[in-house]
Amino acid sequence: MSTQSVNAQVDFDLPLQDTNLQAQLPSSIQQLQLRNVQVSADGLVLQINGIPKMSASRIASPDRIILDLQTTEVAPWIHNSLIAVNRYGVKQIRVAQFQKSPAIARLVFDLDNNSPASWQSSFDQTRGLLVLRPLGISGTSNNPSNLPVTGSTVANNNLATTIDGLSFNGYGQLVIQASRAISYRTSLDLATNTYNVTIPSTRISSQLRRPILGSNSPIEQIRLNQVGDAVVVSVKALAGWQIRETARTNTQAISLQLESVGQVATGNPQNPRSQIQPSYSNNNGRQLVVIDPGHGGPDVGATRNGVYEKDIVLAMSKQLGRILQQMGYSVMYTRTEDIDLDLEPRVQMAENARASAFVSVHVNSLDASASQVNGVETYHAPGASLGKNLAEFVHEQIIASTGATDRGVRSARFHVIVNTSMPAILVETGFITNPSEAARLVNSSYQERMAAAIAKGIDQFLRSYRR
């Protein structure tokens, strides 16, 4: 691959406290974005969509270099991040948005005793990489092939840190485990009681392990999103519960403590869902079924060996919708493409459409140590008698049609089935962590058989309760 580059020398051998040096690089008119900072065999690599005007200064006590990129915003997933270097006379680099208007991205190089006197910069326009090469230090080259690959959701394997799994320990803590030491920042969305952990310079492992949330779990939902070069773990707790950080004893793990903050007041101890009578028609006189393919977009769901839950359930859901339409039902999908969609909008679609039934389609997973586990589980909301009936009809048809292991009809407080007023179920169609079952789940013929069984169960339920 040919490399178009612009070269300039940046002199970092500055008098202490000199803040006036301007690097002689062409400036860019448009707003730029710094998307990543990495260490390569060639030096320090900045992923940026243009050539910024740079200014540098060197300050003592402690010895450090401050590099400002003018007219450049810092991508949110690397803002306030710390990149370990331990090469080229640089211990680490701190990255932050120093100023918003006009935008200035600031990189602080914490130096050791071997810091080079000068650096040379070059910009690879083909791949959007600004490379800072130390002069006078052996072990660097001008070979473009040494640079990280950009534009891919999978980072350079030599540099990538992965989020490998989430699990519960014996202290009531949810533990996020990484392949290497990680830094992170947290935030709390009070409106939804969701605790967000942003882990920069990481990616979601293709062998990700996720915990099973039982019906008594204080956690309603766990989502992992790949946001640029950061992984965002969002943990939504039930009302009456809160999440807090614990002291770190392992740099490769983050432990979140779940704590009860008192009982939630309720006006009526009975589950209102069991009192609701369904409306079995929509405005065109035909019964409407809302089909909800789980996850989507950066929320890939369960995954194993590069296969994503979001893709399996979308294909299966489309087949389910087609079969239901052939049976004479109206069908609405919460999503028909690979898009990010939160839980509440899925519920509101069904509520606004006055659906007759709501069916959420998912794929299950366990730790790699439990790869022998397989089978189908069908869930309804606790106390929802009609939801339980729908689950029983559907589950019976799936087991009879597919021959899958029967793991039973269960109740759980999944958001989409607890907060919908019509009969609602969530079907876990199999375990992607079981090699044999995973091979069936990605097979289009098996997907169609599963969809036909779900459709038959829905049809039996709606015919039984039709008024």
Side-chain angles (χ1 to χ4, degrees):
M1 179 185 296
S2 62
T3 303
Q4 305 176 43
S5 63
V6 178
N7 296 298
Q9 183 165 314
V10 186
D11 186 1
F12 281 174
D13 187 19
L14 308 174
L16 297 182
Q17 307 299 332
D18 183 349
T19 61
N20 299 315
L21 181 77
Q22 298 291 323
Q24 297 304 309
L25 281 175
S27 62
S28 191
I29 298 175
Q30 82 273 23
Q31 179 94 343
L32 304 178
Q33 185 182 58
L34 178 63
R35 297 167 180 165
N36 198 9
V37 178
Q38 294 177 297
V39 185
S40 79
D42 251 3
L44 306 176
V45 181
L46 282 58
Q47 185 181 348
I48 188 169
N49 60 331
I51 308 172
K53 184 177 182 180
M54 299 191 295
S55 62
S57 60
R58 186 164 182 168
I59 301 174
S61 300
D63 194 10
R64 63 197 187 275
I65 293 171
I66 296 176
L67 178 64
D68 286 343
L69 310 182
Q70 309 292 331
T71 324
T72 303
E73 66 173 9
V74 176
W77 54 87
I78 62 168
H79 174 58
N80 283 337
S81 63
L82 185 150
I83 296 96
V85 180
N86 296 318
R87 297 175 70 179
Y88 314 127
V90 179
K91 298 176 184 176
Q92 61 186 19
I93 301 174
R94 290 172 280 152
V95 184
Q97 189 73 59
F98 176 68
Q99 183 173 296
K100 289 187 176 181
S101 181
I104 298 176
R106 171 160 289 184
L107 289 79
V108 179
F109 297 69
D110 293 322
L111 306 177
D112 61 26
N113 295 330
N114 298 316
S115 178
S118 299
W119 296 68
Q120 185 181 58
S121 64
S122 64
F123 184 71
D124 181 346
Q125 292 179 315
T126 306
R127 290 181 286 179
L129 300 177
L130 178 62
V131 185
L132 302 177
R133 292 185 176 89
L135 301 181
I137 290 184
S138 60
T140 62
S141 69
N142 291 317
N143 185 355
S145 64
N146 289 333
L147 302 182
V149 177
T150 61
S152 170
T153 57
V154 180
N156 186 310
N157 288 333
N158 293 326
L159 301 173
T161 299
T162 56
I163 303 303
D164 292 339
L166 295 89
S167 61
F168 293 103
N169 64 18
Y171 303 97
Q173 297 171 348
L174 177 66
V175 180
I176 304 168
Q177 188 70 42
S179 62
R180 298 177 185 169
I182 50 175
S183 60
Y184 67 98
R185 59 182 181 274
T186 62
S187 63
L188 175 63
D189 184 345
L190 291 172
T192 62
N193 201 24
T194 299
Y195 197 83
N196 299 300
V197 182
T198 301
I199 311 169
S201 303
T202 57
R203 61 182 177 87
I204 300 172
S205 170
S206 62
Q207 305 290 325
L208 177 73
R209 305 181 303 274
R210 298 170 68 108
I212 298 298
L213 300 179
S215 58
N216 296 323
S217 173
I219 295 178
E220 183 174 307
Q221 182 195 33
I222 300 173
R223 299 184 71 182
L224 281 82
N225 291 323
Q226 188 73 52
V227 183
D229 289 317
V231 173
V232 179
V233 182
S234 300
V235 184
K236 184 176 183 181
L238 294 175
W241 289 83
Q242 68 180 11
I243 299 171
R244 65 172 177 83
E245 299 173 55
T246 65
R248 294 187 78 182
T249 58
N250 180 355
T251 58
Q252 292 182 219
I254 304 167
S255 297
L256 304 178
Q257 182 70 54
L258 294 151
E259 295 179 334
S260 173
V261 291
Q263 297 296 320
V264 182
T266 55
N268 187 344
Q270 290 184 316
N271 189 321
R273 196 163 324 289
S274 62
Q275 309 300 319
I276 294 173
Q277 296 300 315
S279 172
Y280 288 124
S281 62
N282 59 9
N283 56 14
N284 65 5
R286 300 167 67 192
Q287 291 174 292
L288 171 67
V289 179
V290 171
I291 301 172
D292 174 42
H295 307 280
D299 177 17
V300 301
T303 180
R304 189 64 82 230
N305 297 325
V307 178
Y308 296 147
E309 175 184 1
K310 65 174 184 175
D311 299 324
I312 295 173
V313 299
L314 181 58
M316 200 178 290
S317 295
K318 288 181 177 180
Q319 297 215 46
L320 171 59
R322 176 181 55 81
I323 295 169
L324 286 171
Q325 288 173 328
Q326 291 173 351
M327 291 178 168
Y329 294 100
S330 293
V331 169
M332 175 184 290
Y333 302 89
T334 57
R335 68 178 181 95
T336 56
E337 298 176 355
D338 184 20
I339 61 170
D340 187 22
L341 185 63
D342 211 344
L343 299 179
E344 187 55 29
R346 301 173 193 249
V347 171
Q348 290 305 315
M349 287 183 198
E351 293 297 320
N352 294 339
R354 302 181 63 201
S356 304
F358 179 95
V359 179
S360 190
V361 183
H362 285 257
V363 167
N364 224 332
S365 68
L366 283 173
D367 287 348
S369 60
S371 61
Q372 75 281 2
V373 178
N374 65 91
V376 174
E377 301 168 351
T378 307
Y379 289 87
H380 60 87
S385 57
L386 291 175
K388 181 179 180 182
N389 291 338
L390 173 57
E392 289 170 342
F393 274 111
V394 169
H395 191 79
E396 181 181 0
Q397 289 302 320
I398 292 175
I399 300 305
S401 175
T402 65
T405 299
D406 184 353
R407 290 180 57 84
V409 172
R410 309 179 179 201
S411 67
R413 298 187 61 82
F414 295 123
H415 186 94
V416 292
I417 59 176
V418 169
N419 292 283
T420 39
S421 60
M422 70 290 302
I425 62 173
L426 186 148
V427 184
E428 294 280 8
T429 57
F431 283 81
I432 198 172
T433 45
N434 178 275
S436 298
E437 198 153 61
R440 291 193 294 272
L441 288 168
V442 298
N443 182 282
S444 60
S445 297
Y446 186 82
Q447 290 174 357
E448 185 170 11
R449 196 189 320 165
M450 179 70 70
I454 297 173
K456 187 173 182 180
I458 295 170
D459 181 55
Q460 287 179 335
F461 170 80
L462 292 177
R463 286 180 184 276
S464 298
Y465 287 86
R466 182 174 292 162
R467 290 187 269 179

